[in-house]
Amino acid sequence: MGYVIAPPPQSSLPVAGSDDRFPVRRVYCVGRNYAAHAREMGHDPDREAPFFFQKPADALVPGGGTIPFPPATADLHHEVELVVALQGGGRNIADAAAMDLVWGVAVGLDLTRRDLQGAAKKQGRPWEMGKAFDRSAPCGPLTPLGGFGAIADQRIGLTVDGEIRQDGRLSDMIWSVPETIAVLSTLVELAPGDLIFTGTPDGVGPIRPGQTLVATVDGLVPLTVTIG
Ligand code: MN
């Protein structure tokens, strides 16, 4: 028995300072996980449990680089995020056990067709086409957690053509990484190879063709993306 077409390639991320790759199964994203960003999107951060959406694993742009301006949008937004890569999984994971599942961390971009997302919200439709489009998830190389240390108050930021657009702290997350893993694991069974984009600080905004984004988290390899 063989496949009737060639099997699609396995999505993966580079590992910082190594030729090894991290194979990716699923890509989860947390919505509105920084209070100031929830407010800028018109929501009350105090009343919301974390909620999730997904991007396809092949929407990753490993290591960044130049990507074409996506189709069907006039309002492409940047969201810089800490990305967590899981080496273990399970259901109903306790907060205290969650960090043992984390293999490493990276800087990612949750690129968003904000106009499509906004129209979907108004009509009560899925966000899918605003969030889960091709090349919507550029992600830098993973650093093993031991090489990064504790997720604490490291700076997370983004510049566009050298101008600071987003500037926050990982400690500004409403739901911490272990809490996020714990809640997500009540909804789906997590597994090795899963990534979680953990939400963005405030300052999201539009990007145009020709602009260069540099996304950073202190202690991680920066992610540079140019919009073609
Ligand atoms: Mn996001």
Side-chain angles (χ1 to χ4, degrees), residues 66-143:
T66 299
I67 61 171
F69 193 86
T73 184
D75 196 21
L76 178 68
H77 273 211
H78 55 77
E79 299 189 356
V80 59
E81 312 208 355
L82 177 75
V83 179
V84 171
L86 301 188
Q87 63 185 344
R91 297 191 190 114
N92 301 316
I93 295 157
D95 289 15
M99 290 309 291
D100 292 341
L101 304 182
V102 175
W103 187 86
V105 286
V107 185
L109 280 170
D110 167 13
L111 293 178
T112 302
R113 296 193 285 208
R114 195 71 76 198
D115 40 2
L116 297 194
Q117 185 198 27
K121 282 182 188 173
K122 268 191 204 136
Q123 296 168 88
R125 290 179 180 170
W127 290 11
E128 199 87 3
M129 291 299 119
K131 284 289 194 182
F133 53 96
D134 297 334
R135 301 179 194 87
S136 59
C139 191
L142 282 164
T143 295

Side-chain angles (χ1 to χ4, degrees), residues 26-216:
R26 293 184 184 171
V27 179
Y28 294 102
C29 304
V30 189
R32 296 177 209 135
N33 199 26
Y34 289 73
H37 171 62
R39 280 188 211 102
E40 78 179 347
M41 299 304 290
H43 297 271
D44 178 354
D46 298 327
R47 279 189 286 173
E48 290 189 310
F51 67 95
F52 303 92
F53 57 93
Q54 289 187 66
K55 293 183 186 247
D58 72 351
L60 288 168
V61 183
T66 299
I67 61 171
F69 193 86
T73 184
D75 196 21
L76 178 68
H77 273 211
H78 55 77
E79 299 189 356
V80 59
E81 312 208 355
L82 177 75
V83 179
V84 171
L86 301 188
Q87 63 185 344
R91 297 191 190 114
N92 301 316
I93 295 157
D95 289 15
M99 290 309 291
D100 292 341
L101 304 182
V102 175
W103 187 86
V105 286
V107 185
L109 280 170
D110 167 13
L111 293 178
T112 302
R113 296 193 285 208
R114 195 71 76 198
D115 40 2
L116 297 194
Q117 185 198 27
K121 282 182 188 173
K122 268 191 204 136
Q123 296 168 88
R125 290 179 180 170
W127 290 11
E128 199 87 3
M129 291 299 119
K131 284 289 194 182
F133 53 96
D134 297 334
R135 301 179 194 87
S136 59
C139 191
L142 282 164
T143 295
L145 193 62
F148 180 72
I151 297 170
D153 64 347
Q154 291 94 339
R155 238 173 139 162
I156 177 169
L158 179 130
T159 62
V160 177
D161 289 344
E163 177 197 331
I164 296 171
R165 293 273 194 94
Q166 295 190 263
D167 186 9
R169 299 265 171 188
L170 298 184
S171 50
D172 295 336
M173 286 186 201
I174 296 170
W175 298 87
S176 69
V177 168
E179 288 169 336
T180 297
I181 292 169
V183 174
L184 183 56
S185 75
T186 67
L187 298 166
V188 288
E189 180 172 3
L190 296 173
D194 289 348
L195 302 182
I196 304 172
F197 281 60
T198 58
T200 194
D202 62 320
V204 302
I207 37 182
R208 296 187 310 273
Q211 290 187 315
T212 295
L213 291 65
V214 180
T216 54

